[in-house]
Amino acid sequence: QVRLVESGGGLVQTGGSLRLSCAASGLTLSSYPVGWFRQAPGLEREFVATITNMGSTTAYADSAKGRFTISRDRAKNTAYLQMDSLEPADTAVYYCAAKGPPLRIGELPASRYEYNYWGQGTQVTVSS
């Protein structure tokens, strides 16, 4: 059974940093593209960042470029989202996701509909 568990969310002031973790079980995370998404109250779930399978190529939403960094640790079967220079607009529930088969080497899926496996989410709140 595939399970993704996010952690690391919390309350932080504007300009602060958080590192979110996504621990996987039931699948080898490095074999799948991994994405981070977020959803604020009343809004659609939106793409934040993705990292390709079998490599380290990444892609980011414009809102995340230059401030957020997605990475993975193969040995720990865990993905991360380092978030710096946080702003109140970043307040949301953050979800990690993994895209299942069919897979293409180097793909960078940015649509939530392309992902098969989801975590339960972790709340990030940025105070002004």
PDB file of all heavy atoms in Angstrom, residues 100-118:
ATOM      1  N   GLY A 100       2.125   8.040 -10.824  1.00  0.00           N
ATOM      2  CA  GLY A 100       2.339   6.637 -11.131  1.00  0.00           C
ATOM      3  C   GLY A 100       2.442   6.383 -12.616  1.00  0.00           C
ATOM      4  O   GLY A 100       2.443   7.315 -13.419  1.00  0.00           O
ATOM      5  N   PRO A 101       2.505   5.089 -12.998  1.00  0.00           N
ATOM      6  CA  PRO A 101       2.619   4.733 -14.418  1.00  0.00           C
ATOM      7  C   PRO A 101       1.399   5.203 -15.200  1.00  0.00           C
ATOM      8  O   PRO A 101       0.312   5.345 -14.634  1.00  0.00           O
ATOM      9  CB  PRO A 101       2.678   3.215 -14.377  1.00  0.00           C
ATOM     10  CG  PRO A 101       3.125   2.879 -12.992  1.00  0.00           C
ATOM     11  CD  PRO A 101       2.539   3.948 -12.119  1.00  0.00           C
ATOM     12  N   PRO A 102       1.562   5.392 -16.530  1.00  0.00           N
ATOM     13  CA  PRO A 102       2.805   5.228 -17.291  1.00  0.00           C
ATOM     14  C   PRO A 102       3.786   6.378 -17.028  1.00  0.00           C
ATOM     15  O   PRO A 102       3.369   7.505 -16.798  1.00  0.00           O
ATOM     16  CB  PRO A 102       2.337   5.243 -18.745  1.00  0.00           C
ATOM     17  CG  PRO A 102       1.093   6.063 -18.728  1.00  0.00           C
ATOM     18  CD  PRO A 102       0.447   5.804 -17.400  1.00  0.00           C
ATOM     19  N   LEU A 103       5.048   6.077 -17.059  1.00  0.00           N
ATOM     20  CA  LEU A 103       6.079   7.051 -16.754  1.00  0.00           C
ATOM     21  C   LEU A 103       6.975   7.276 -17.961  1.00  0.00           C
ATOM     22  O   LEU A 103       7.228   6.364 -18.737  1.00  0.00           O
ATOM     23  CB  LEU A 103       6.938   6.565 -15.579  1.00  0.00           C
ATOM     24  CG  LEU A 103       6.218   6.329 -14.250  1.00  0.00           C
ATOM     25  CD1 LEU A 103       7.169   5.714 -13.234  1.00  0.00           C
ATOM     26  CD2 LEU A 103       5.635   7.618 -13.730  1.00  0.00           C
ATOM     27  N   ARG A 104       7.440   8.502 -18.094  1.00  0.00           N
ATOM     28  CA  ARG A 104       8.440   8.857 -19.100  1.00  0.00           C
ATOM     29  C   ARG A 104       9.616   9.460 -18.365  1.00  0.00           C
ATOM     30  O   ARG A 104       9.447  10.282 -17.471  1.00  0.00           O
ATOM     31  CB  ARG A 104       7.870   9.866 -20.096  1.00  0.00           C
ATOM     32  CG  ARG A 104       6.760   9.325 -20.980  1.00  0.00           C
ATOM     33  CD  ARG A 104       6.192  10.407 -21.896  1.00  0.00           C
ATOM     34  NE  ARG A 104       5.434  11.413 -21.155  1.00  0.00           N
ATOM     35  CZ  ARG A 104       5.830  12.668 -20.975  1.00  0.00           C
ATOM     36  NH1 ARG A 104       6.997  13.077 -21.461  1.00  0.00           N
ATOM     37  NH2 ARG A 104       5.067  13.522 -20.313  1.00  0.00           N
ATOM     38  N   ILE A 105      10.795   9.068 -18.750  1.00  0.00           N
ATOM     39  CA  ILE A 105      11.995   9.586 -18.103  1.00  0.00           C
ATOM     40  C   ILE A 105      12.053  11.097 -18.288  1.00  0.00           C
ATOM     41  O   ILE A 105      11.887  11.605 -19.392  1.00  0.00           O
ATOM     42  CB  ILE A 105      13.263   8.941 -18.686  1.00  0.00           C
ATOM     43  CG1 ILE A 105      13.262   7.430 -18.430  1.00  0.00           C
ATOM     44  CG2 ILE A 105      14.521   9.578 -18.079  1.00  0.00           C
ATOM     45  CD1 ILE A 105      13.304   7.063 -16.970  1.00  0.00           C
ATOM     46  N   GLY A 106      12.266  11.797 -17.189  1.00  0.00           N
ATOM     47  CA  GLY A 106      12.459  13.227 -17.272  1.00  0.00           C
ATOM     48  C   GLY A 106      11.192  14.060 -17.272  1.00  0.00           C
ATOM     49  O   GLY A 106      11.262  15.276 -17.424  1.00  0.00           O
ATOM     50  N   GLU A 107      10.039  13.436 -17.077  1.00  0.00           N
ATOM     51  CA  GLU A 107       8.824  14.230 -17.120  1.00  0.00           C
ATOM     52  C   GLU A 107       8.681  15.085 -15.877  1.00  0.00           C
ATOM     53  O   GLU A 107       9.155  14.733 -14.799  1.00  0.00           O
ATOM     54  CB  GLU A 107       7.597  13.334 -17.314  1.00  0.00           C
ATOM     55  CG  GLU A 107       7.330  12.338 -16.214  1.00  0.00           C
ATOM     56  CD  GLU A 107       6.096  11.504 -16.516  1.00  0.00           C
ATOM     57  OE1 GLU A 107       5.097  12.048 -16.998  1.00  0.00           O
ATOM     58  OE2 GLU A 107       6.129  10.289 -16.230  1.00  0.00           O
ATOM     59  N   LEU A 108       7.998  16.204 -16.046  1.00  0.00           N
ATOM     60  CA  LEU A 108       7.797  17.184 -14.973  1.00  0.00           C
ATOM     61  C   LEU A 108       6.320  17.575 -14.958  1.00  0.00           C
ATOM     62  O   LEU A 108       5.945  18.658 -15.390  1.00  0.00           O
ATOM     63  CB  LEU A 108       8.683  18.414 -15.206  1.00  0.00           C
ATOM     64  CG  LEU A 108      10.185  18.211 -15.054  1.00  0.00           C
ATOM     65  CD1 LEU A 108      10.953  19.385 -15.643  1.00  0.00           C
ATOM     66  CD2 LEU A 108      10.555  18.030 -13.590  1.00  0.00           C
ATOM     67  N   PRO A 109       5.475  16.700 -14.441  1.00  0.00           N
ATOM     68  CA  PRO A 109       4.042  16.978 -14.466  1.00  0.00           C
ATOM     69  C   PRO A 109       3.668  18.118 -13.530  1.00  0.00           C
ATOM     70  O   PRO A 109       4.088  18.152 -12.367  1.00  0.00           O
ATOM     71  CB  PRO A 109       3.428  15.654 -14.010  1.00  0.00           C
ATOM     72  CG  PRO A 109       4.512  14.967 -13.247  1.00  0.00           C
ATOM     73  CD  PRO A 109       5.794  15.402 -13.850  1.00  0.00           C
ATOM     74  N   ALA A 110       2.890  19.049 -14.057  1.00  0.00           N
ATOM     75  CA  ALA A 110       2.476  20.214 -13.274  1.00  0.00           C
ATOM     76  C   ALA A 110       0.981  20.242 -12.999  1.00  0.00           C
ATOM     77  O   ALA A 110       0.504  21.165 -12.335  1.00  0.00           O
ATOM     78  CB  ALA A 110       2.894  21.494 -13.992  1.00  0.00           C
ATOM     79  N   SER A 111       0.249  19.273 -13.508  1.00  0.00           N
ATOM     80  CA  SER A 111      -1.192  19.226 -13.281  1.00  0.00           C
ATOM     81  C   SER A 111      -1.498  18.222 -12.181  1.00  0.00           C
ATOM     82  O   SER A 111      -0.976  17.102 -12.198  1.00  0.00           O
ATOM     83  CB  SER A 111      -1.925  18.816 -14.556  1.00  0.00           C
ATOM     84  OG  SER A 111      -3.275  18.504 -14.265  1.00  0.00           O
ATOM     85  N   ARG A 112      -2.373  18.611 -11.276  1.00  0.00           N
ATOM     86  CA  ARG A 112      -2.720  17.713 -10.178  1.00  0.00           C
ATOM     87  C   ARG A 112      -3.384  16.443 -10.695  1.00  0.00           C
ATOM     88  O   ARG A 112      -3.335  15.404 -10.039  1.00  0.00           O
ATOM     89  CB  ARG A 112      -3.645  18.419  -9.190  1.00  0.00           C
ATOM     90  CG  ARG A 112      -4.945  18.917  -9.805  1.00  0.00           C
ATOM     91  CD  ARG A 112      -5.800  19.578  -8.770  1.00  0.00           C
ATOM     92  NE  ARG A 112      -6.950  20.234  -9.374  1.00  0.00           N
ATOM     93  CZ  ARG A 112      -8.083  20.479  -8.746  1.00  0.00           C
ATOM     94  NH1 ARG A 112      -8.222  20.114  -7.503  1.00  0.00           N
ATOM     95  NH2 ARG A 112      -9.069  21.090  -9.365  1.00  0.00           N
ATOM     96  N   TYR A 113      -3.989  16.513 -11.863  1.00  0.00           N
ATOM     97  CA  TYR A 113      -4.701  15.357 -12.407  1.00  0.00           C
ATOM     98  C   TYR A 113      -3.750  14.278 -12.916  1.00  0.00           C
ATOM     99  O   TYR A 113      -4.174  13.162 -13.207  1.00  0.00           O
ATOM    100  CB  TYR A 113      -5.645  15.808 -13.514  1.00  0.00           C
ATOM    101  CG  TYR A 113      -6.668  16.803 -13.018  1.00  0.00           C
ATOM    102  CD1 TYR A 113      -6.596  18.146 -13.370  1.00  0.00           C
ATOM    103  CD2 TYR A 113      -7.691  16.411 -12.167  1.00  0.00           C
ATOM    104  CE1 TYR A 113      -7.522  19.068 -12.906  1.00  0.00           C
ATOM    105  CE2 TYR A 113      -8.626  17.325 -11.693  1.00  0.00           C
ATOM    106  CZ  TYR A 113      -8.524  18.651 -12.063  1.00  0.00           C
ATOM    107  OH  TYR A 113      -9.437  19.556 -11.586  1.00  0.00           O
ATOM    108  N   GLU A 114      -2.473  14.609 -13.014  1.00  0.00           N
ATOM    109  CA  GLU A 114      -1.493  13.629 -13.476  1.00  0.00           C
ATOM    110  C   GLU A 114      -0.943  12.784 -12.333  1.00  0.00           C
ATOM    111  O   GLU A 114      -0.233  11.818 -12.576  1.00  0.00           O
ATOM    112  CB  GLU A 114      -0.325  14.349 -14.162  1.00  0.00           C
ATOM    113  CG  GLU A 114      -0.731  15.129 -15.408  1.00  0.00           C
ATOM    114  CD  GLU A 114       0.472  15.774 -16.076  1.00  0.00           C
ATOM    115  OE1 GLU A 114       1.165  15.093 -16.860  1.00  0.00           O
ATOM    116  OE2 GLU A 114       0.717  16.971 -15.815  1.00  0.00           O
ATOM    117  N   TYR A 115      -1.255  13.141 -11.105  1.00  0.00           N
ATOM    118  CA  TYR A 115      -0.690  12.458  -9.946  1.00  0.00           C
ATOM    119  C   TYR A 115      -1.666  11.434  -9.380  1.00  0.00           C
ATOM    120  O   TYR A 115      -2.866  11.680  -9.269  1.00  0.00           O
ATOM    121  CB  TYR A 115      -0.309  13.469  -8.871  1.00  0.00           C
ATOM    122  CG  TYR A 115       0.915  14.275  -9.254  1.00  0.00           C
ATOM    123  CD1 TYR A 115       0.807  15.405 -10.056  1.00  0.00           C
ATOM    124  CD2 TYR A 115       2.182  13.883  -8.827  1.00  0.00           C
ATOM    125  CE1 TYR A 115       1.924  16.126 -10.432  1.00  0.00           C
ATOM    126  CE2 TYR A 115       3.307  14.602  -9.185  1.00  0.00           C
ATOM    127  CZ  TYR A 115       3.168  15.719  -9.985  1.00  0.00           C
ATOM    128  OH  TYR A 115       4.285  16.421 -10.351  1.00  0.00           O
ATOM    129  N   ASN A 116      -1.122  10.280  -9.006  1.00  0.00           N
ATOM    130  CA  ASN A 116      -1.944   9.176  -8.540  1.00  0.00           C
ATOM    131  C   ASN A 116      -1.982   9.049  -7.020  1.00  0.00           C
ATOM    132  O   ASN A 116      -2.968   8.583  -6.461  1.00  0.00           O
ATOM    133  CB  ASN A 116      -1.409   7.865  -9.116  1.00  0.00           C
ATOM    134  CG  ASN A 116      -1.331   7.902 -10.620  1.00  0.00           C
ATOM    135  OD1 ASN A 116      -0.326   8.340 -11.186  1.00  0.00           O
ATOM    136  ND2 ASN A 116      -2.385   7.471 -11.281  1.00  0.00           N
ATOM    137  N   TYR A 117      -0.878   9.412  -6.384  1.00  0.00           N
ATOM    138  CA  TYR A 117      -0.752   9.185  -4.948  1.00  0.00           C
ATOM    139  C   TYR A 117      -0.577  10.526  -4.239  1.00  0.00           C
ATOM    140  O   TYR A 117       0.225  11.351  -4.666  1.00  0.00           O
ATOM    141  CB  TYR A 117       0.456   8.287  -4.655  1.00  0.00           C
ATOM    142  CG  TYR A 117       0.481   7.023  -5.473  1.00  0.00           C
ATOM    143  CD1 TYR A 117       1.420   6.834  -6.478  1.00  0.00           C
ATOM    144  CD2 TYR A 117      -0.457   6.014  -5.242  1.00  0.00           C
ATOM    145  CE1 TYR A 117       1.446   5.681  -7.225  1.00  0.00           C
ATOM    146  CE2 TYR A 117      -0.442   4.853  -5.999  1.00  0.00           C
ATOM    147  CZ  TYR A 117       0.508   4.687  -6.984  1.00  0.00           C
ATOM    148  OH  TYR A 117       0.521   3.552  -7.727  1.00  0.00           O
ATOM    149  N   TRP A 118      -1.313  10.701  -3.150  1.00  0.00           N
ATOM    150  CA  TRP A 118      -1.324  11.962  -2.413  1.00  0.00           C
ATOM    151  C   TRP A 118      -1.147  11.737  -0.924  1.00  0.00           C
ATOM    152  O   TRP A 118      -1.616  10.730  -0.374  1.00  0.00           O
ATOM    153  CB  TRP A 118      -2.646  12.690  -2.635  1.00  0.00           C
ATOM    154  CG  TRP A 118      -2.808  13.201  -4.020  1.00  0.00           C
ATOM    155  CD1 TRP A 118      -3.292  12.511  -5.099  1.00  0.00           C
ATOM    156  CD2 TRP A 118      -2.482  14.508  -4.494  1.00  0.00           C
ATOM    157  NE1 TRP A 118      -3.286  13.314  -6.213  1.00  0.00           N
ATOM    158  CE2 TRP A 118      -2.800  14.548  -5.868  1.00  0.00           C
ATOM    159  CE3 TRP A 118      -1.965  15.652  -3.900  1.00  0.00           C
ATOM    160  CZ2 TRP A 118      -2.601  15.682  -6.647  1.00  0.00           C
ATOM    161  CZ3 TRP A 118      -1.772  16.781  -4.665  1.00  0.00           C
ATOM    162  CH2 TRP A 118      -2.089  16.791  -6.030  1.00  0.00           C
TER     163      TRP A 118
END
